[in-house]
Amino acid sequence: MIRIEKLRLTYRSAHGEVHAVRGVDLDIPAGQFYTLLGPSGCGKTTTLRCVAGLEQPSAGRITVGDEVVFDSDTGIAAPSYDRNIGMVFQSYAIWPHMTVFDNVAFPLRQLRPRPPRSTIRDRVLAALSLVQLDGLAERPAPYLSGGQQQRLALARALVREPKVLLLDEPLSNLDAKLREEMRGELRELVTKLGVTTLFVTHEQIEALTMSDRIGVMHDGVIAQEGPPMRIYDHPDHTFVADFIGKTNFIRGTVAAGEGADGYVAIDTPMGRLAARARTGLKPGAAATVAIRPENIHRADATVADNVVEGVIRQCAFLGNLLDCIVAAGDHVLHMQAHPSVGLRSGQPVRLRLPRESCIVIAD
């Protein structure tokens, strides 16, 4: 439904050329909820705006449905209003001088030929019902709450029944509680409609909980792409592991190559660790072991493999968990545990780093 091929966008600034997007390739099938995730300045919003027709790429090809909307080789560059897309901006872009009804009706009134008034009314009321704004059609748009304004922007994007929905950080202006509620509502709505959705965010939780697939962007390229669980549990690069959730990085040297069980031995300042192997690792090569804090556990006396000894430096109570920093020699490890385990600052501790949770990643 959305295909992006070798997309590039370069612009000039006072400091020279800036490569905002560096050869992005995406293939999003019909009905999929796809998220571009990354920090500010990584190129995710620029990519979205290229699909919307709000930015002119320097090179590449963009297809929406069966229609090529941009192709640098042939000179095709369809305007935004001819791309059959709906878009929700970060600021919502709601017109304050219009009512709720008129905001939603605006895209239909711009069509040529314009639909009959009765058709416009029926489609606007249907869109408002879809986003649970029934009965608010005549209310001035500024008198809506933040969550209602977000729903209004979504209704306006959907009223034309677009092939593709583009969402540019639409939840970022909501408070934490409302943002959590709207994540579920938004995902449920687009699933019900079956509309292909390209979503841009820098919030990891939004990406992990809402997406069918995630593309993690860094410096204008997609560093890794895959289902949320694959991205979280099997990061390919230190950037991906560090950006999504908390991660411990333990640098060392390969002591023994991949065994028949698929694990490799790494000598580290904390001792020898077994970790899930990457192909091509040879003895003597530098390696980085990554493990999530929630995967580190206290070890009893019977456990000998992948054990690290240290002292708890800090232990913060966060309600549903303890967030601890453990000093192991000159290095520190972050771990999380249930409050019932009774960890406290200054306590010596033996930690087990399960080898199935340790992975070797590329720098």
Side-chain angles (χ1 to χ4, degrees):
M1 182 58 72
I2 304 177
R3 176 169 292 173
I4 301 174
E5 302 169 75
K6 299 179 174 58
L7 186 70
R8 294 182 178 275
L9 191 147
T10 302
Y11 62 88
R12 294 188 177 277
S13 71
H15 304 288
E17 285 192 343
V18 176
H19 299 279
V21 181
R22 305 167 180 259
V24 166
D25 291 290
L26 283 181
D27 197 350
I28 306 173
Q32 189 174 87
F33 194 112
Y34 189 100
T35 296
L36 288 176
L37 172 68
S40 298
C42 71
K44 58 187 187 297
T45 294
T46 301
T47 301
L48 183 86
R49 288 174 63 85
C50 288
V51 176
L54 301 176
E55 297 282 356
Q56 181 82 359
S58 305
R61 178 183 172 97
I62 301 172
T63 305
V64 176
D66 298 324
E67 181 183 359
V68 177
V69 296
F70 178 82
D71 190 332
S72 58
D73 291 337
T74 61
I76 295 174
S80 296
Y81 57 80
D82 277 343
R83 297 195 178 196
N84 197 7
I85 60 171
M87 184 164 180
V88 178
F89 296 88
Q90 183 176 358
S91 63
Y92 307 149
I94 291 170
W95 289 288
H97 63 289
M98 294 183 182
T99 64
V100 168
F101 183 95
D102 289 335
N103 263 277
V104 179
F106 184 84
L108 297 178
R109 289 170 175 164
Q110 302 309 304
L111 294 176
R112 294 296 179 269
R114 179 186 292 188
R117 182 176 297 181
S118 60
T119 300
I120 292 177
R121 178 173 179 80
D122 289 346
R123 290 178 64 175
V124 169
L125 294 180
L128 291 176
S129 177
L130 195 64
V131 298
Q132 301 175 32
L133 290 180
D134 309 75
L136 299 180
E138 300 308 316
R139 178 174 295 187
Y143 294 172
L144 297 178
S145 67
Q148 289 172 330
Q149 289 188 27
Q150 195 272 344
R151 291 190 181 96
L152 172 56
L154 187 58
R156 187 178 59 192
L158 294 172
V159 73
R160 286 183 59 185
E161 300 176 354
K163 292 181 180 178
V164 167
L165 181 62
L166 306 178
L167 304 174
D168 185 12
E169 303 200 44
L171 307 181
S172 62
N173 292 323
L174 305 178
D175 62 60
K177 180 70 173 178
L178 184 55
R179 187 183 307 131
E180 183 177 353
E181 294 174 0
M182 289 305 301
R183 284 202 301 263
E185 288 187 18
L186 180 56
R187 177 60 216 242
E188 184 178 356
L189 177 60
V190 297
T191 300
K192 175 182 176 181
L193 295 174
V195 61
T196 306
T197 304
L198 180 57
F199 179 64
V200 161
T201 184
H202 63 273
E203 291 287 343
Q204 306 154 28
I205 297 300
E206 288 180 7
L208 292 172
T209 58
M210 298 174 68
S211 312
D212 294 315
R213 290 182 71 81
I214 298 172
V216 183
M217 291 197 70
H218 180 52
D219 287 342
V221 300
I222 295 181
Q224 185 174 349
E225 180 188 57
M229 189 173 293
R230 172 67 176 81
I231 294 288
Y232 187 84
D233 288 338
H234 302 272
D236 290 338
H237 307 278
T238 53
F239 169 79
V240 176
D242 192 38
F243 185 76
I244 299 183
K246 294 182 178 179
T247 307
N248 294 288
F249 296 106
I250 308 168
R251 301 191 183 278
T253 305
V254 177
E258 182 179 354
D261 58 359
Y263 290 88
V264 62
I266 309 292
D267 282 332
T268 76
M270 301 178 186
R272 178 165 292 187
L273 298 175
R276 287 184 288 172
R278 297 181 63 87
T279 58
L281 287 175
K282 297 180 179 179
T288 299
V289 177
I291 184 169
R292 301 285 186 184
E294 65 269 23
N295 291 329
I296 298 177
H297 312 290
R298 292 184 70 178
D300 58 37
T302 62
V303 178
D305 295 333
N306 275 35
V307 170
V308 172
E309 296 191 3
V311 177
I312 298 177
R313 181 185 294 175
Q314 297 178 19
C315 202
F317 174 66
L318 301 182
N320 62 329
L321 58 84
L322 296 174
D323 189 60
C324 303
I325 298 177
V326 178
D330 295 331
H331 299 267
V332 297
L333 288 174
H334 289 259
M335 69 168 294
Q336 295 175 347
H338 192 273
S340 63
V341 301
L343 297 175
R344 63 185 184 277
S345 298
Q347 176 183 355
V349 65
R350 296 178 78 243
L351 301 179
R352 180 172 65 91
L353 282 60
R355 65 178 191 165
E356 61 273 14
S357 300
C358 293
I359 60 173
V360 179
I361 60 177
D363 293 326

